[in-house]
Amino acid sequence: MKAKRVLGIGLVAAGLLLSALTGVASAAEGVWIGPDRIAEQDRAALVQAIGVARKENPTAFDTLARLREDMPALDAQKRGRYVPVAAILKGLGKDALLPMLNELAVDAKPRGDMPDDAWHAWRVGLVEAVGALRDGRAAPVLFAIIDTTEMDTDLVRAAASALGKLGTDAAARKLVGMAKKEGPKQKGVLAGMGDCRRLVVAEALASTLRAHPDAETAILVARSLGDVGSAWAWKTPIIAASGEEDAVRAAASQALVDSYLRYEGEARTAITKAVLMVDHPSTPALVEAAKRSARPGDQAALDALLERFKNSPLHR
């Protein structure tokens, strides 16, 4: 009887210890990924950098923690569906990078009672804000995030966009490879990869649109082609440094004009807007070439596109 009692106490103690250890492990995770999702060497470097930053600038960590605590209240007062967290986080500047990476991948508090919409906005906002900084130190975290089993389109789009903004060969290859794989992640990747302004990405998007996908997918791809070839975005020195501007914008313009007559309604509208965003000098010649093999009614539609292009605000 005594042996059974001792055994019972031992099992209870073991259970309590396991619970305690599990609680510690849960706390030592990010809102997106656990510590095992990043290569040991990369995680060690990240943890060290976070430790240094916390000592040198504890205010940045405190500010982020307060914002997270305020999320339920902000969610209750929001006007749209989600709190505009990304805009708030971007306003914190580059000092917020390591606190945000800590929150995403190293040591975040459990979700607690944060409402669903607030939790969604928090996760998306963190990734978007990290991406906006275009800091290479975020690469291991962003690669780990895009490889998670997350299927929510908004979250996948944010991760693809943030990874793409790094502009590296590795980021471009990763996004192109994922865009080719059918599945629940594909649309999110297609929607976000336009922020990776590299030729290989423009060509992948162009190939996808020429394959004549369904209208919903065509809209996503057209918008991403507008992003990847955006005349305004290419004026940014960090983007222009790749030297691929003309090739990227030409590839985007060609694919958009080639696909213009294949869609109607919202999809054609999205293509039109993308053509105007890319604003490549070859556009008038591409439209005229398309007119030569088009039916009379389609020629009129192409004339309307050309008129929109000539009257674009970018030409004033």
Side-chain angles (χ1 to χ4, degrees), residues 92-109:
L92 300 180
K94 62 182 181 180
D95 287 343
L97 175 69
L98 288 166
M100 290 191 294
L101 293 179
N102 180 60
E103 178 77 4
L104 284 168
V106 178
D107 190 13
K109 293 180 180 178

Side-chain angles (χ1 to χ4, degrees), residues 39-58:
E40 185 176 347
Q41 182 177 355
D42 291 332
R43 187 172 191 280
L46 179 60
V47 169
Q48 181 180 12
I50 289 170
V52 172
R54 194 186 291 275
K55 290 181 180 178
E56 294 181 347
N57 189 7

Side-chain angles (χ1 to χ4, degrees), residues 77-281:
Q77 300 168 8
K78 68 182 185 294
R79 295 185 178 181
R81 181 176 178 184
Y82 298 116
V83 178
V85 182
I88 300 172
L89 291 169
K90 289 174 186 178
L92 300 180
K94 62 182 181 180
D95 287 343
L97 175 69
L98 288 166
M100 290 191 294
L101 293 179
N102 180 60
E103 178 77 4
L104 284 168
V106 178
D107 190 13
K109 293 180 180 178
R111 173 180 172 176
D113 59 353
M114 193 182 295
D116 289 346
D117 285 350
W119 181 243
H120 181 91
W122 181 243
R123 297 174 75 205
V124 172
L126 283 167
V127 178
E128 289 182 351
V130 165
L133 292 172
R134 302 177 188 273
D135 193 308
R137 289 175 293 177
V141 174
L142 295 176
F143 273 100
I145 288 174
I146 200 71
D147 276 334
T148 65
T149 56
E150 181 63 63
M151 299 301 175
D152 182 281
T153 299
D154 287 343
L155 293 165
V156 175
R157 175 203 54 75
S161 172
L163 182 61
K165 285 177 181 176
L166 296 180
T168 62
D169 291 344
R173 285 195 301 269
K174 181 67 173 179
L175 293 171
V176 169
M178 294 187 71
K180 293 178 179 178
K181 295 179 181 179
E182 294 185 4
K185 276 186 167 185
Q186 187 179 39
K187 287 185 177 180
V189 172
L190 289 171
M193 66 190 289
D195 284 319
C196 187
R197 294 179 174 93
R198 299 296 304 275
L199 181 57
V200 66
V201 170
E203 290 175 340
L205 288 166
S207 177
T208 300
L209 190 59
R210 287 197 179 96
H212 199 193
D214 61 84
E216 181 184 1
T217 303
I219 290 169
L220 296 177
V221 175
R223 289 172 179 168
S224 286
L225 280 168
D227 288 335
V228 79
S230 169
W232 177 83
W234 277 99
K235 296 182 185 299
T236 307
I238 194 172
I239 295 173
S242 73
E244 297 184 335
E245 177 182 358
D246 188 66
V248 167
R249 292 175 60 207
S253 183
Q254 179 77 64
L256 290 163
V257 173
D258 287 348
S259 301
Y260 178 76
L261 293 176
R262 304 181 74 178
Y263 293 94
E264 297 180 350
E266 189 178 351
R268 182 176 289 187
T269 298
I271 291 173
T272 300
K273 290 179 179 178
V275 168
L276 300 181
M277 282 183 64
V278 175
D279 193 46
H280 193 262

Side-chain angles (χ1 to χ4, degrees), residues 25-86:
S26 297
E29 292 185 355
V31 301
W32 257 89
I33 54 176
D36 60 330
R37 301 292 303 195
I38 303 176
E40 185 176 347
Q41 182 177 355
D42 291 332
R43 187 172 191 280
L46 179 60
V47 169
Q48 181 180 12
I50 289 170
V52 172
R54 194 186 291 275
K55 290 181 180 178
E56 294 181 347
N57 189 7
T59 301
F61 288 83
D62 293 340
T63 300
L64 188 69
R66 286 196 300 272
L67 178 57
R68 175 171 175 153
E69 290 174 0
D70 290 342
M71 281 300 296
L74 291 171
D75 184 70
Q77 300 168 8
K78 68 182 185 294
R79 295 185 178 181
R81 181 176 178 184
Y82 298 116
V83 178
V85 182

